[in-house]
Amino acid sequence: MVYAFHCSLKMIMKGQKRKFPPEDVEVSDRCSPTWESQRQFVFSVSLSKYQRGQELPEPSLRRSVLIANTLRQISLEACRAPCVEREMSPCSSSSALQGKERESAFSEVTAAKHHSAVGFTNSHPALGSCPVPSSNYLSNCATNRCPASYHLNTSDVPLSVGDEDEDWGSMSTDPDFSLSAAISSILTALDSTIDGSPQAALRTPLRSLENLSRPSEGSMAGVKQGVRGYGGSWEQHQQQEEEEECRMRESNMEAMRSSYLSDLTVEDLFQDIDTSLLERDMGVLGFRGSGGGYPAGDDLLRYLPPFSPSSSTSSHPFSLSLNQNLKCLPSFSTFSPLSSSSCSSPSLSLQPSSPFSGQNHVREGLELEHLMEILVES
Amino acid sequence: VMWCFSQVKGAIDEDVAEADIISTVEFNYSGELLATGDKGGRVVIFQHEQESKNRPHLRGEYNVYSTFQSHEPEFDYLKSLEIEEKINKIRWLPQQNAAHFLLSTNDKTIKLWKISERDKRAEGYNLKDEDGRLRDPFRITSLRVPVLMPMDLMVEASPRRIFANAHTYHINSISVNSDHETYLSADDLRINLWHLEITDRSFNIVDIKPANMEELTEVITAAECHPHQCNVFVYSSSKGTIRLCDMRAAALCDRHSKFFEEPEDPSSRSFFSEIISSISDVKFSHSGRYMMTRDYLSVKVWDLNMENRPVETYQVHEYLRSKLCSLYENDCIFDKFECCWNGSDSAIMTGSYNNFFRMFDRNTRRDITLEASRESSKPRATLKPRKVSTGGKRKKDEISVDSLDFNKKILHTAWHPKDNVIAVAATNNLYIFQDKIN
């Protein structure tokens, strides 16, 4: 999920850069459109810098912190600035959000995204009243989850219900980031359950896991991105400290986890997924599953982005949300090297108006399949 | 003071090898030695030659005294990361005997180097020939005392201590304490205190790492020991604050004794306010009464007795304030400029872009911009002051802001502790300038 937003951001940022060249003189007047365009430009540049920095094997901590702080400041200023003549009302919901707790804000953000993605535009009352002009904001808000320290502090970030299609569709068109990251996460999940040291190739994502004694469900993906940024990349050379950190992270995860998955069971989430193939492949890779799909399911569940528990009545939106999230993860059907299916989610129900372009998924599916083949055969 | 060119060291080649880029410059306590470190992990030490008796009005030149490989690239197998061999800082120890000692550090490891001279050789051993072969014992008929004979000067550098594995993050500063026994090393989040004799242990005295790394918003950017009070040190942060700590107060100096911060000017607030407030260097004055900090656009002198604002502020390149967005895009806004005092604390110097460097006289409040370039490199040629035109009309000899070369940045400068001799590192070249002696 988090990776998805990174993809969409990259896409948008490329366009953003061309659209808004830097102004020579910074406009201090918040109401002017120049200020707004400057703000957006700086935001997009900051975002791409942050991401590029994080992709380096060892990002400069000072640089990352400065960019992250700038991003946060811009996001805050975005909501503080009076929303100029756009379609909607000022961010009246921001105050409502500000009072909420970390976890609930996080889940609301998530909920809005999921819901809007499937067309439930105003399902969440607090968020529905503060939509935002352009699709840029979705990426803006989305990335508040991605950089390390945002998703918890910027509770008053406006959310977009705008051009969702574009964003969801673009999620899967960034091959290097989402694909490799998604595969790595799946592989490390498998690895971590197998006794033995992970291969060198898996070190990058493993770093973010090293600080956790056991990955927890659901909320991991969102937090992992943040962890990856700071905590994950720098190991403790003292064992005690590491354990302490694991405990801290675990407790954080516990808090988050409880708010997401309380109304869901593993069965609900996986009802549409054919885990038999997965199980077989787990066995191929040496994973000792215990018969049912649950151990495998558990592992995979850890890498799924968190779901809001608020609309647990119907499983339909969840499976759809799951589908869309899974677009960024290797589909289960592609785990099997023998599978000829190249579509990422043949067994998952999709609305006809699915924003995903099939072509992208075929491509992604083929690449994933190829990668899985290599891994299985090695 | 009129500055003139003295020497330039380094290749003239337009194609600069990354390893040759100078990353630190430091005079020793007497000014006799000048050390440079580069990105390739090498240290080059220049020695001041005695003024020639024929021409006493000219200062002596600095010539290469010793070159050695201080740090090698390393590989952290646990994290699959390469550790750069780039020398981040060199600090000399006060001289206590014939040998010279310096500390050099890369991102992770600090090394104590001994630089010693050998200009005599013992000759006339009883058991060995001059070429080292063992003499046949039956041939030895008499005993002789070996005699010391002069030989060509040989300067040897040997690593005496290696202080490793104490920093998880990148070391940005080292500073020798006034007790000459301890020194501190600072990385992004922690400061450690070492004893020069003990390499397997260090005391952690500052730790600003949050329990949850996602809450990290501030890092340590520089640290220095007080020149006279061995219990006092300061460290600066990426948020433009300086904390002065007293090691007598507690073992862990997380609580500062003094907190220096200038309140932000609301009229100049921008998206980049925090980034440009990040302090890149902090230096105590020789007197110990003041300290100087360098942020992106200015240099500030603080009185240690006044925490709420600096006593002096000097604009280094205010014309860049309107260009911050572009400088952010091309990453120049993250450049870390250093600053230095002259021996009497009456003047300060710092670098800028286009190979310009700036000097400020604290008494007369006059400032000057000079350029380190090959064009003005004629022996004893007086340096012409440079000016950057900010308005629309560009006068003759002025350079416009848009013509500045942002790849030519002077990040490292050093001022001789006693004389008006300065060393300016311009990418891979080291320029030495001195005042005009009439």
Side-chain angles (χ1 to χ4, degrees):
Chain A
M1 179 61 164
V2 174
Y3 311 125
F5 284 107
H6 275 207
C7 316
S8 64
L9 288 163
K10 270 193 175 167
M11 296 292 291
I12 286 166
M13 248 138 16
K14 286 173 192 162
Q16 196 74 9
K17 261 189 181 165
R18 281 180 234 119
K19 265 160 76 181
F20 300 107
E23 309 259 340
D24 266 0
V25 182
E26 268 188 51
V27 180
S28 49
D29 179 15
R30 289 215 178 131
C31 299
S32 77
T34 329
W35 183 86
E36 181 53 40
S37 75
Q38 276 183 357
R39 196 199 63 80
Q40 286 198 7
F41 176 75
V42 174
F43 189 93
S44 59
V45 167
S46 303
L47 215 42
S48 70
K49 274 187 193 302
Y50 184 83
Q51 287 178 348
R52 264 185 275 120
Q54 294 309 103
E55 282 164 16
L56 291 175
E58 206 172 11
S60 157
L61 191 57
R62 168 185 168 258
R63 191 189 141 93
S64 304
V65 166
L66 287 173
I67 295 172
N69 289 350
T70 307
L71 274 170
R72 186 195 296 131
Q73 183 210 325
I74 292 176
S75 309
L76 289 171
E77 290 199 2
C79 220
R80 247 185 261 127
C83 292
V84 209
E85 65 287 346
R86 320 272 182 170
E87 319 132 33
M88 62 262 72
S89 53
C91 301
S92 53
S93 63
S94 57
S95 53
L97 284 177
Q98 266 159 11
K100 294 197 168 124
E101 308 233 16
R102 270 162 63 140
E103 290 86 353
S104 50
F106 192 52
S107 61
E108 277 159 8
V109 166
T110 318
K113 290 195 193 85
H114 286 286
H115 290 162
S116 50
V118 300
F120 286 60
T121 309
N122 290 312
S123 59
H124 201 292
L127 298 168
S129 63
C130 181
V132 166
S134 64
S135 61
N136 297 332
Y137 274 89
L138 168 68
S139 48
N140 295 351
C141 307
T143 56
N144 288 326
R145 287 181 49 191
C146 305
S149 44
Y150 286 166
H151 55 276
L152 308 164
N153 299 331
T154 54
S155 54
D156 51 354
V157 168
L159 298 164
S160 166
V161 292
D163 228 344
E164 290 287 330
D165 291 356
E166 184 186 296
D167 297 317
W168 285 106
S170 64
M171 275 198 309
S172 52
T173 54
D174 191 344
D176 8 47
F177 191 82
S178 65
L179 206 56
S180 55
I183 293 168
S184 303
S185 62
I186 299 284
L187 292 170
T188 46
L190 300 174
D191 253 338
S192 60
T193 57
I194 303 167
D195 266 354
S197 54
Q199 295 105 17
L202 302 175
R203 277 195 197 281
T204 306
L206 186 65
R207 265 187 293 207
S208 52
L209 291 175
E210 278 166 343
N211 287 318
L212 304 155
S213 58
R214 90 193 135 74
S216 53
E217 303 148 13
S219 52
M220 170 95 123
V223 179
K224 185 166 74 147
Q225 200 57 32
V227 169
R228 177 200 197 115
Y230 295 153
S233 306
W234 293 273
E235 267 188 56
Q236 309 308 313
H237 70 278
Q238 293 161 16
Q239 190 71 13
Q240 249 180 340
E241 222 171 333
E242 192 173 11
E243 282 166 16
E244 197 188 6
E245 277 207 337
C246 288
R247 268 178 251 124
M248 296 293 280
R249 285 219 168 69
E250 264 184 74
S251 56
N252 288 337
M253 305 278 247
E254 289 281 341
M256 286 193 209
R257 178 175 44 177
S258 58
S259 63
Y260 302 134
L261 301 171
S262 49
D263 297 328
L264 298 169
T265 64
V266 172
E267 284 148 313
D268 287 337
L269 290 168
F270 282 87
Q271 63 181 359
D272 290 333
I273 298 161
D274 178 13
T275 54
S276 59
L277 288 173
L278 177 64
E279 225 187 327
R280 182 180 80 200
D281 292 314
M282 294 293 187
V284 168
L285 292 168
F287 176 69
R288 294 174 286 117
S290 62
Y294 289 122
D298 272 340
D299 285 336
L300 286 160
L301 184 58
R302 287 177 200 134
Y303 292 94
L304 293 174
F307 295 109
S308 163
S310 53
S311 101
S312 54
T313 48
S314 154
S315 61
H316 182 63
F318 277 104
S319 64
L320 280 171
S321 307
L322 179 60
N323 299 345
Q324 274 140 357
N325 291 322
L326 287 178
K327 296 295 185 255
C328 293
L329 303 173
S331 74
F332 301 121
S333 62
T334 62
F335 270 112
S336 164
L338 305 172
S339 163
S340 58
S341 161
S342 55
C343 180
S344 55
S345 51
S347 55
L348 302 174
S349 52
L350 282 172
Q351 275 186 344
S353 59
S354 164
F356 292 100
S357 60
Q359 200 178 5
N360 291 335
H361 277 284
V362 168
R363 196 164 63 232
E364 188 184 308
L366 283 168
E367 287 172 15
L368 287 167
E369 207 180 289
H370 181 60
L371 275 159
M372 288 307 298
E373 277 179 40
I374 295 168
L375 285 159
V376 167
E377 284 159 17
S378 63
Chain B
V1 174
M2 301 269 283
W3 291 94
C4 54
F5 171 81
S6 174
Q7 297 169 275
V8 61
K9 310 280 188 194
I12 309 172
D13 225 9
E14 276 299 312
D15 231 356
V16 179
E18 175 104 1
D20 293 335
I21 296 174
I22 298 170
S23 51
T24 182
V25 183
E26 186 82 355
F27 280 99
N28 76 337
Y29 281 79
S30 63
E32 183 208 353
L33 298 176
L34 174 61
T36 62
D38 63 23
K39 277 195 166 184
R42 290 166 303 203
V43 171
V44 180
I45 302 177
F46 301 93
Q47 186 189 40
H48 187 236
E49 299 292 340
Q50 292 293 336
E51 287 88 1
S52 79
K53 298 191 176 48
N54 306 341
R55 297 176 337 171
H57 57 280
L58 286 177
R59 290 192 205 278
E61 286 196 338
Y62 280 87
N63 296 318
V64 178
Y65 180 63
S66 173
T67 306
F68 56 93
Q69 186 77 34
S70 170
H71 287 71
E72 298 273 3
E74 282 173 48
F75 195 75
D76 181 339
Y77 292 97
L78 203 56
K79 291 191 254 180
S80 284
L81 292 171
E82 196 173 280
I83 300 170
E84 263 186 51
E85 67 273 32
K86 172 170 80 93
I87 308 294
N88 291 335
K89 283 285 176 347
I90 289 175
R91 289 287 182 264
W92 290 92
L93 264 58
Q95 191 173 8
Q96 287 170 330
N97 52 36
H100 298 275
F101 288 86
L102 60 79
L103 287 168
S104 72
T105 185
N106 68 349
D107 284 338
K108 297 284 184 180
T109 306
I110 307 138
K111 293 186 183 182
L112 176 69
W113 287 89
K114 177 181 177 182
I115 298 106
S116 47
E117 291 183 5
R118 190 193 290 269
D119 63 352
K120 291 188 202 32
R121 185 179 57 209
E123 281 177 23
Y125 285 103
N126 289 293
L127 299 175
K128 279 191 305 186
D129 273 343
E130 291 315 316
D131 42 9
R133 277 182 312 173
L134 290 173
R135 288 172 76 190
D136 189 358
F138 297 107
R139 297 276 177 86
I140 303 172
T141 51
S142 61
L143 284 177
R144 54 186 179 173
V145 178
V147 180
L148 289 174
M149 301 296 289
M151 62 177 256
D152 290 337
L153 179 66
M154 204 166 70
V155 181
E156 300 169 322
S158 57
R160 305 303 282 180
R161 305 271 185 278
I162 297 180
F163 305 92
N165 301 323
H167 286 279
T168 309
Y169 304 96
H170 291 182
I171 298 173
N172 52 56
S173 315
I174 47 173
S175 179
V176 182
N177 210 345
S178 54
D179 61 8
H180 301 166
E181 281 187 352
T182 57
Y183 73 95
L184 63 76
S185 60
D187 66 27
D188 292 320
L189 297 179
R190 298 192 178 100
I191 302 179
N192 294 333
L193 184 71
W194 300 84
H195 192 283
L196 285 164
E197 299 291 327
I198 300 168
T199 58
D200 61 352
R201 268 171 290 155
S202 71
F203 287 106
N204 174 251
I205 51 178
V206 172
D207 188 340
I208 63 166
K209 182 170 191 274
N212 185 359
M213 276 296 267
E214 290 160 20
E215 289 164 5
L216 180 68
T217 57
E218 195 173 8
V219 298
I220 297 170
T221 52
E224 202 183 37
C225 290
H226 191 277
H228 308 308
Q229 296 168 32
C230 58
N231 53 294
V232 171
F233 67 94
V234 292
Y235 68 93
S236 61
S237 82
S238 56
K239 283 199 170 171
T241 64
I242 310 102
R243 289 168 176 81
L244 184 144
C245 302
D246 188 334
M247 290 190 266
R248 298 171 301 187
L252 198 58
C253 300
D254 281 355
R255 286 176 50 144
H256 52 263
S257 298
K258 294 196 185 192
F259 182 77
F260 298 84
E261 186 179 28
E262 183 171 28
E264 194 189 352
D265 177 14
S267 65
S268 65
R269 177 144 186 80
S270 75
F271 297 123
F272 310 106
S273 291
E274 184 177 319
I275 298 182
I276 62 169
S277 73
S278 171
I279 291 172
S280 51
D281 194 14
V282 65
K283 291 263 170 51
F284 278 106
S285 65
H286 291 93
S287 63
R289 167 86 190 269
Y290 299 96
M291 70 176 174
M292 163 168 60
T293 58
R294 174 70 155 100
D295 52 72
Y296 190 63
L297 294 179
S298 68
V299 182
K300 297 178 182 174
V301 175
W302 303 77
D303 184 327
L304 291 187
N305 299 317
M306 186 161 75
E307 298 167 57
N308 58 351
R309 62 180 173 81
V311 289
E312 294 152 34
T313 302
Y314 301 95
Q315 299 301 331
V316 181
H317 37 218
E318 183 69 13
Y319 47 79
L320 295 182
R321 192 180 288 274
S322 56
K323 308 281 179 193
L324 289 179
C325 206
S326 313
L327 293 166
Y328 180 61
E329 246 199 310
N330 63 17
D331 274 355
C332 283
I333 209 173
F334 297 106
D335 287 335
K336 294 196 286 184
F337 292 94
E338 291 174 12
C339 53
C340 57
W341 298 86
N342 72 343
S344 58
D345 297 337
S346 62
I348 56 182
M349 171 170 64
T350 189
S352 178
Y353 293 104
N354 208 69
N355 277 355
F356 287 171
F357 57 99
R358 303 260 285 141
M359 283 193 261
F360 304 93
D361 188 315
R362 293 179 65 211
N363 300 324
T364 64
R365 292 304 173 115
R366 283 217 301 257
D367 61 271
I368 189 169
T369 305
L370 298 172
E371 185 180 358
S373 73
R374 292 277 174 175
E375 283 78 43
S376 50
S377 303
K378 293 180 185 46
R380 297 185 298 286
T382 306
L383 292 178
K384 199 174 63 173
R386 303 303 308 256
K387 191 136 167 46
V388 176
S389 70
T390 49
K393 203 154 170 8
R394 187 176 73 90
K395 297 200 195 82
K396 191 169 89 83
D397 286 346
E398 280 188 0
I399 183 167
S400 73
V401 185
D402 300 309
S403 314
L404 294 174
D405 187 344
F406 289 94
N407 291 318
K408 293 189 183 167
K409 45 192 98 172
I410 291 181
L411 304 172
H412 314 287
T413 59
W415 205 313
H416 190 286
K418 297 182 180 64
D419 301 331
N420 275 335
V421 177
I422 55 176
V424 174
T427 318
N428 62 328
N429 291 141
L430 182 73
Y431 287 82
I432 299 172
F433 301 107
Q434 60 188 39
D435 62 348
K436 210 173 188 65
I437 314 169
N438 287 325

